[in-house]
Amino acid sequence: MTEIFDLAASNLVSPIILSFALGLVAALARSDLTIPEAVAKGMSIYLLFAIGFKGGAAVAANGIDATLLMAVGAGLVLSFGLPLIAFALLKIMTGMDRIDAAAVAAHYGSISIVTFVAATSVLEGRMIDAEGYMVAVAAAMEAPAILSALWLVARGGSGAKMDAGLMREILLNGSIVLLVGSFIIGGVTGQKGLDEIAPFIVTPFKGVLCLFLLDMGLIAGRGLRNVRGSLGMGAIGFAILMPLVSSFAGLALGMLIGLSLGGIVLLMVLSASASYIAVPAAMRVALPQANPSIYLTLSLGVTFPFNLTLGIPLYLAVAQSMTGG
């Protein structure tokens, strides 16, 4: 337990976490600090491209093996299955109707790529290696949760259905296309390609991430301020409990397929994170009746900061304890 708190304390004073905290405090204090939307979108594009490219280059260096395929398969299983667990917990812990509960559940089966990057930074700071292809697992986990949410709604007779337009919206979502596309480019060009653009996607990466998290803090703070008092303790409790439940599912599958310590931690983080980019975009099309203030505030305003501050150190400590690493 002491180790967990030590890790958390170390994580809390990192530039990444403090940048998020600055944005959160500024928004809650009603500061006029803002990041222009075009700049925020540009940073998002940069981060996704850099993450995907470096992951593809790592796969090119190490090659494709059975563990990679099993890891992607585990990611798909988690992304399909975790929304079912989330939905059941929401029905027990909150008074949400079926559509809102399904929309929230979809967010908790998909992933937060920024939480993934923050975890990668923590591992690098502690000299813990992880499989480069975990970026491919992240990409695989973006969309299946949306399908599970639609199944949950359709099962209740609410009329939601999968059509060609929605499938296109899911599979061609900009974040998925950019992450997968840059991963392929990195895989084709390999280490040589990475060396050529390293001054662009390696050196400035953490600085851009800090600014991006400043913007995320501003968005999260505004969301918390706007829904203050409208979310019950059951919903808040779910947004903290669900990552813990999901992380243990990731731990079990990571150990089962033989991932390294770093790989297990990243699979736990992917399982525990909640989407606030790809899934909200899909929910606006698929379930327009769902309340965005609920699912965005829980995923971005509660689960995201929980994972950044306490979750990642906890998942690392548990993984080290279970693997002896």
Side-chain angles (χ1 to χ4, degrees):
M1 185 61 71
T2 302
E3 182 181 0
I4 294 173
F5 286 119
D6 288 343
L7 286 170
S10 174
N11 205 30
L12 284 171
V13 295
S14 71
I16 293 172
I17 304 302
L18 291 176
S19 297
F20 177 83
L22 173 60
L24 186 68
V25 171
L28 292 175
R30 300 181 183 274
S31 168
D32 63 356
L33 175 64
T34 59
I35 301 292
E37 184 176 349
V39 174
K41 189 173 181 67
M43 290 190 294
S44 177
I45 290 171
Y46 169 84
L47 291 172
L48 287 168
F49 182 85
I51 294 161
F53 195 102
K54 288 188 286 187
V59 169
N62 297 312
I64 298 175
D65 57 23
T67 308
L68 184 157
L69 299 177
M70 288 190 293
V72 172
L76 291 172
V77 169
L78 288 165
S79 189
F80 274 117
L82 290 175
L84 306 182
I85 298 173
F87 184 81
L89 285 175
L90 284 165
K91 300 305 286 184
I92 294 171
M93 300 177 68
T94 74
M96 287 185 198
D97 61 34
R98 190 174 196 89
I99 290 178
D100 279 332
V104 171
H107 290 69
Y108 286 83
S110 188
I111 60 103
S112 159
I113 197 67
V114 178
T115 310
F116 174 82
V117 174
T120 302
S121 297
V122 170
L123 293 178
E124 289 175 352
R126 286 161 177 76
M127 306 297 290
I128 299 174
D129 293 327
E131 291 83 352
Y133 54 70
M134 292 306 295
V135 175
V137 179
M141 291 180 70
E142 284 270 22
I146 300 169
L147 304 180
S148 293
L150 295 181
W151 178 80
L152 285 167
V153 174
R155 187 167 171 265
S158 300
K161 62 180 181 179
M162 175 64 68
D163 56 24
L166 179 58
M167 181 61 77
R168 186 178 187 279
E169 177 78 17
I170 295 171
L171 296 180
L172 295 183
N173 179 278
S175 62
I176 297 176
V177 170
L178 184 55
L179 191 62
V180 174
S182 60
F183 181 87
I184 293 172
I185 294 172
V188 171
T189 59
Q191 187 62 43
K192 181 181 178 182
L194 180 60
D195 291 341
E196 288 179 1
I197 62 173
F200 173 67
I201 68 168
V202 177
T203 304
F205 184 84
K206 288 189 177 180
V208 175
L209 179 60
C210 285
L211 290 177
F212 185 78
L213 279 171
L214 171 65
D215 186 50
M216 289 294 99
L218 290 168
I219 294 172
R222 293 185 194 115
L224 288 171
R225 196 178 67 208
N226 292 336
V227 301
R228 187 177 297 167
S230 63
L231 284 177
M233 292 305 297
I236 302 298
F238 163 83
I240 295 173
L241 174 62
M242 185 62 199
L244 299 175
V245 173
S246 300
S247 69
F248 278 97
L251 171 67
L253 283 179
M255 294 181 66
L256 181 64
I257 63 180
L259 293 177
S260 68
L261 170 61
I264 290 172
V265 172
L266 291 183
L267 188 59
M268 292 175 73
V269 169
L270 287 172
S271 301
S273 62
S275 174
Y276 49 81
I277 299 175
V279 175
M283 289 299 102
R284 284 198 296 269
V285 177
L287 297 176
Q289 316 96 305
N291 187 347
S293 65
I294 295 176
Y295 55 69
L296 274 175
T297 301
L298 291 179
S299 63
L300 183 57
V302 182
T303 299
F304 182 61
F306 168 77
N307 276 327
L308 283 184
T309 55
L310 296 176
I312 293 173
L314 175 62
Y315 309 144
L316 174 57
V318 171
Q320 287 177 320
S321 174
M322 294 296 293
T323 62

